[in-house]
Amino acid sequence: MMTKNISMYAQNNWLSDRYYNTISRISDPGNGQSLVQSSKKIFWFDNISSDLYPGNHNLPTSADGVIITDRMICFVEFKTGFKKKITKQNFDADKVTCEHIHDICYEYLDLFIKNQRTETEQLICSIRDKAIESYITLEKKLLPICALVGDQKYKLVFIAVIDGNGEDDMEATLGELCSKEPSHENCFNDVRKALKRCANQKDAAGQDYYYDEIKVMSPAEFLSFINTCNLST
């Protein structure tokens, strides 16, 4: 929980197009294919973070956006690359049939799947780095210049929005509700596990730090979430 008035600071300093733009723009990885199509505006933390470290050629990583409501501060990272078109469950045998042995080349298939798994692990590491370094930027660069808000407290949330397979999202959600592990590799579940240590920690003096909650969402889930938020601007 935070007691600094980030909302007031944001409204006084971040309402230009560079810092405040549509979710469609902010969730575009650079290829014109926005992960989430929405005309709603949130704060663009990549640009905010960049300008908080002027002249620094070793910039920390940062979440893409920030959602500010009257009760919450949510860092949001939009990440594509999780959705796999080819898996062991749906692969086309014709495409991995060796012309020399006239049979499936399992060595090639295993190598292909291993490479996909490595790419997924790199994506997860990137999200975790952004969660950690965004929190450091908040604590060391933003909170010291924001005013106190009396008894008002803000819940701090980190949201990862990923393009995983829809059935994985459903399975991970149901598994979380009944404390059951998914039956196979599940990117939503894997991201939640990787971010677990970024929430509800205490320092040596017993003070809370890091995020109060971690959420991993599909684009559709995020749209439903943002439509229920009472945005501060």
Side-chain angles (χ1 to χ4, degrees), residues 17-214:
D17 286 345
R18 176 167 174 77
Y19 300 141
Y20 190 61
N21 218 301
T22 65
I23 292 171
S24 292
R25 180 78 184 278
I26 295 173
S27 69
D28 180 355
N31 58 7
Q33 301 294 319
S34 301
L35 181 58
V36 180
Q37 291 285 349
S38 174
S39 60
K40 283 200 170 188
K41 290 186 175 183
I42 62 174
F43 294 103
W44 203 339
F45 194 65
D46 271 336
N47 291 342
I48 292 168
S49 181
S50 176
D51 290 354
L52 286 171
Y53 297 89
N56 189 332
H57 299 293
N58 189 25
L59 287 173
T61 59
S62 57
D64 293 312
V66 174
I67 298 168
I68 301 177
T69 76
D70 56 349
R71 296 289 178 179
M72 286 192 304
I73 306 295
C74 302
F75 284 99
V76 187
E77 174 64 14
F78 301 101
K79 186 68 72 176
T80 60
F82 286 93
K83 191 171 185 177
K84 309 302 182 187
K85 295 181 179 178
I86 301 174
T87 67
K88 280 189 174 181
Q89 286 75 35
N90 70 2
F91 77 93
D92 184 346
D94 291 338
K95 293 182 179 180
V96 291
T97 297
C98 177
E99 62 182 12
H100 300 293
I101 64 174
H102 304 291
D103 197 1
I104 294 174
C105 179
Y106 287 101
E107 183 177 349
Y108 171 79
L109 178 59
D110 287 342
L111 184 62
F112 178 81
I113 297 298
K114 183 178 180 180
N115 182 62
Q116 285 199 146
R117 188 178 299 121
T118 299
E119 290 175 352
T120 297
E121 289 171 353
Q122 290 172 344
L123 291 172
I124 293 173
C125 286
S126 174
I127 293 174
R128 183 171 56 207
D129 287 347
K130 291 186 175 196
I132 293 170
E133 296 190 17
S134 294
Y135 179 83
I136 292 171
T137 296
L138 172 70
E139 185 179 73
K140 301 302 181 182
K141 288 287 189 176
L142 284 174
L143 293 185
I145 57 177
C146 292
L148 288 170
V149 288
D151 295 331
Q152 175 67 44
K153 291 185 177 181
Y154 291 92
K155 184 178 182 180
L156 184 60
V157 182
F158 184 87
I159 302 174
V161 184
I162 65 175
D163 64 341
N165 297 319
E167 61 270 21
D168 285 352
D169 177 27
M170 178 75 71
E171 184 184 34
T173 301
L174 293 174
E176 194 174 59
L177 290 172
C178 64
S179 301
K180 182 180 179 181
E181 289 293 319
S183 57
H184 58 88
E185 290 183 4
N186 183 298
C187 57
F188 288 87
N189 193 56
D190 291 342
V191 173
R192 287 190 183 101
K193 281 184 176 179
L195 296 175
K196 190 174 182 180
R197 283 181 290 182
C198 294
N200 301 309
Q201 300 293 332
K202 290 186 180 295
D203 62 19
Q207 297 297 312
D208 294 331
Y209 71 98
Y210 267 160
Y211 301 93
D212 298 300
E213 188 176 357
I214 300 290

Side-chain angles (χ1 to χ4, degrees), residues 208-227:
D208 294 331
Y209 71 98
Y210 267 160
Y211 301 93
D212 298 300
E213 188 176 357
I214 300 290
K215 294 178 178 289
V216 184
M217 299 180 175
S218 67
E221 278 185 306
F222 180 74
L223 266 178
S224 296
F225 169 79
I226 196 68
N227 287 333

